[in-house]
Amino acid sequence: MSRSSFQQFHWHSKQFALASNDIHAFYHLLAEQMQGLALTKKTLGHIEGYPLELYQSANPQPKLANVLISAGFHGEEAAGPWGMLKFLSTLEPSITEQLNLSLLPLVNPTGFKAGHRFNQFGENPNRGFLVDKGRAKPAEDCSREGQLLIAQQALLKNLSQDGILTCHEDVLQHNCYVYSFEPEAAAGPFSYTLRDSLAEYFPVAADESIDGCKLEDGLIHNHYDSSFESCLVKLGAKRGACSETPALEDFDQRINANCAVMQQFVSASIEYHTKQV
Ligand code: NI
């Protein structure tokens, strides 16, 4: 089986009492959740009238870890953006005194609205991020969203210095797994702790090959392709992960798992930075 670019997936969330592709409600609730957090919004551009928004700590402090969390690259992987809303609802305003937090809550709005993987132009927003001599450059087939992100590469590189988490889902799976990045090292506690936070909600995928990549212990480790997360690690992010929740399972469980992996990423990032400083 392979992933279809335009097959539409729609789910109903009981906890939000909304359809997974209700984009107006999503942006509305996002703006509401941001109130009270010291994060400023920067609009990187628009795709068919929908903004690609980056939120970042309003007063970043040099001694704190710089981490970036992103979601919604693939439109049908809807539990990522909704999981981020739930994650935001659990944050204390003091979070920005503990780390310099940046967020890309919904990278592919047209895909999200339609409930399909690619954007409405048939482009894959998580491919086409090439790196050459320490600089990102768009591949020929780079999506509109990818081009907007690459245009901000200096900023995004700084914001993700200490870690990048991107939240995806796998529509072919009943099990969870993680693409993990710890450059020049075997998978360590950082990778396993993120896997374990998903394992609270779903069984971990058995050792096998997924999309041609070797999966071991629920991890595909240090696999570099032209994805956004791979690009940021190549640009210097110390750690990276792409979480994969199983989209054949219950939507609300997947939202909860995405919230949990974001929380775990934040607490692990604070812990590692404290040890290092
Ligand atoms: Ni994906």
Side-chain angles (χ1 to χ4, degrees):
M1 292 221 343
S2 65
R3 292 172 185 79
S4 156
S5 314
F6 291 114
Q7 185 185 349
Q8 295 190 328
F9 294 83
H10 297 130
W11 290 281
H12 178 78
S13 167
K14 293 192 193 85
Q15 59 188 306
F16 284 100
L18 285 167
S20 56
N21 66 332
D22 190 338
I23 193 164
H24 294 289
F26 179 81
Y27 279 117
H28 178 76
L29 291 169
L30 181 65
E32 231 174 56
Q33 286 299 343
M34 290 298 179
Q35 288 171 12
L37 294 175
L39 298 172
T40 52
K41 181 171 79 175
K42 180 179 170 80
T43 300
L44 306 187
H46 289 83
I47 303 104
E48 290 298 281
Y50 292 107
L52 202 178
E53 296 175 341
L54 168 71
Y55 288 85
Q56 53 190 115
S57 280
N59 301 300
Q61 294 170 46
K63 64 177 195 298
L64 299 180
N66 294 287
V67 301
L68 174 64
I69 306 177
S70 61
F73 275 85
H74 290 138
E76 89 283 33
E77 302 173 7
W82 292 105
M84 185 172 292
L85 276 190
K86 182 159 187 168
F87 162 72
L88 289 168
S89 76
T90 68
L91 290 181
E92 296 290 336
S94 61
I95 187 67
T96 44
E97 291 158 27
Q98 299 173 62
L99 85 174
N100 299 325
L101 178 64
S102 301
L103 306 166
L104 288 163
L106 178 57
V107 172
N108 174 10
T110 63
F112 181 87
K113 184 184 175 198
H116 60 54
R117 182 171 184 79
F118 286 3
N119 67 15
Q120 77 173 67
F121 310 100
E123 300 161 339
N124 182 348
N126 200 34
R127 283 291 177 273
F129 296 87
L130 301 179
V131 178
D132 184 33
K133 299 188 179 83
R135 290 206 36 95
K137 60 175 193 182
E140 247 172 56
D141 63 347
C142 188
S143 64
R144 285 154 175 82
E145 296 79 5
Q147 290 176 33
L148 292 174
L149 294 170
I150 288 174
Q152 300 294 330
Q153 63 175 292
L155 174 61
L156 293 171
K157 178 182 168 169
N158 281 338
L159 299 180
S160 64
Q161 267 175 48
D162 297 287
I164 163 71
L165 170 67
T166 183
C167 295
H168 282 248
E169 298 203 275
D170 190 329
V171 293
L172 305 179
Q173 283 285 331
H174 288 286
N175 303 316
C176 62
Y177 60 97
V178 173
Y179 289 88
S180 52
F181 298 86
E182 298 187 48
E184 297 167 28
F190 169 79
S191 300
Y192 284 104
T193 191
L194 295 179
R195 180 204 65 182
D196 290 347
S197 67
L198 297 180
E200 296 282 322
Y201 297 86
F202 303 105
V204 173
D207 287 4
E208 57 177 330
S209 153
I210 291 188
D211 296 335
C213 305
K214 193 176 92 175
L215 177 81
E216 227 179 316
D217 288 341
L219 300 177
I220 296 170
H221 190 62
N222 285 349
H223 169 75
Y224 292 91
D225 51 20
S226 69
S227 66
F228 179 65
E229 60 276 14
S230 166
C231 170
L232 286 181
V233 173
K234 283 186 200 159
L235 291 180
K238 286 182 192 142
R239 284 173 281 277
C242 164
S243 57
E244 297 276 357
T245 43
L248 293 174
E249 293 296 315
D250 178 75
F251 187 49
D252 282 290
Q253 272 290 91
R254 289 152 44 203
I255 291 173
N256 295 342
N258 275 278
C259 171
V261 76
M262 291 181 208
Q263 290 173 323
Q264 186 59 49
F265 173 72
V266 161
S267 54
S269 298
I270 294 170
E271 189 191 323
Y272 281 100
H273 198 69
T274 313
K275 276 187 197 159
Q276 181 188 303
V277 170

